Amino acid sequence: MADRKGKFAGDDPFEIAKSWLAEAETAEINDPNAIALSTVDQNGMPNARMVLLKDIETLGAGDGAFVFYTNYESQKAQELDSAGKAAFVMHWKSLRRQIRVRGTISREDGPQADAYFNSRSLKSRLGAWASKQSRPLSSRAALVAEVAKVTAAQGANPDRPPFWGGFRISPVEIEFWADGDFRLHDRFRWSREGRGDPWKIDRLNP
């Protein structure tokens, strides 16, 4: 597309996304990798929450995925497993840009998940063991007590819990948006039928 220049230029949407994130890492004060993840429950009721994107995988030939980690027993994980698809938006006020993604879901619970878990601080790893994410909690004191119990049981080098790991979003649609004067924003949508299929790129009205 002739007018897809500058920040929008490139033949691989995952490389463009990585470039935008790298720019945001120098400009955003907190959590430039935060995404608003959207799921639906078994009744079709939508849900949204902020999570941290941990990897943008690039596999060549315009293929790749977006990876984040969570408790597999959490509400979000149950909704992801049930629906098999999700969407998210990543918005940077400092750059006045955003990326929207929709795609299918698969788990990442192998060596890659182990490596990421082991890279976290000890307190975060113990917290992952202690938290029964999304379920009712009687008090903060009860949570602190559970952390102490887990610390005694797991020691200084806990393994990744069997109920904790990653999710990979393989997109069928990625939209790059940049703020424009007088709300004449620039929007480019990359879409494909499925993983491995060629991308179609459309400029969208603001």
Side-chain angles (χ1 to χ4, degrees):
M1 183 174 290
D3 61 346
R4 195 166 55 82
K5 301 175 182 178
K7 64 179 75 76
F8 294 101
D11 299 321
D12 186 328
F14 301 97
E15 293 292 351
I16 298 172
K18 289 176 75 171
S19 175
W20 283 27
L21 178 56
E23 286 187 65
E25 287 170 347
T26 68
E28 290 287 309
I29 297 175
N30 293 309
D31 297 330
N33 60 328
I35 62 175
L37 177 70
S38 177
T39 57
V40 294
D41 66 17
Q42 292 184 330
N43 296 317
M45 180 67 73
N47 234 331
R49 78 288 286 162
M50 303 302 295
V51 301
L52 297 180
L53 184 71
K54 290 301 179 181
D55 194 17
I56 301 176
E57 297 178 336
T58 51
L59 305 176
D63 199 11
F66 299 87
V67 183
F68 62 93
Y69 294 85
T70 191
N71 186 314
Y72 285 146
E73 296 175 352
S74 65
Q75 184 171 356
K76 80 172 79 64
Q78 293 174 31
E79 291 172 356
L80 290 166
D81 283 333
S82 175
K85 60 192 71 171
F88 73 79
V89 60
M90 178 179 281
H91 177 250
W92 299 293
K93 289 184 178 180
S94 59
L95 299 181
R96 301 170 74 180
R97 300 182 206 169
Q98 70 179 24
I99 298 174
R100 296 173 60 233
V101 172
R102 298 198 299 165
T104 57
I105 290 290
S106 60
R107 285 193 178 192
E108 171 48 65
D109 55 5
Q112 186 173 325
D114 291 335
Y116 171 65
F117 184 79
N118 291 332
S119 75
R120 305 175 87 206
S121 71
L122 175 59
K123 289 184 178 180
S124 292
R125 284 178 281 160
L126 292 169
W129 273 99
S131 174
K132 297 176 175 60
Q133 196 172 103
S134 301
R135 281 160 284 179
L137 176 66
S138 61
S139 67
R140 184 164 186 84
L143 179 61
V144 172
E146 185 64 24
V147 171
K149 179 180 175 181
V150 163
T151 301
Q154 296 295 328
N157 190 28
D159 291 331
R160 178 173 61 88
F163 53 80
W164 192 98
F167 281 102
R168 178 178 285 105
I169 300 180
S170 299
V172 294
E173 184 175 305
I174 307 175
E175 182 191 312
F176 297 93
W177 177 100
D179 182 73
D181 292 337
F182 310 109
R183 294 192 173 274
L184 298 180
H185 313 306
D186 289 307
R187 297 174 61 188
F188 289 93
R189 180 181 62 201
W190 297 60
S191 58
R192 61 182 179 178
E193 292 296 319
R195 190 165 188 175
D197 291 329
W199 289 102
K200 178 176 180 286
I201 307 172
D202 293 301
R203 175 185 271 276
L204 304 179
N205 272 280

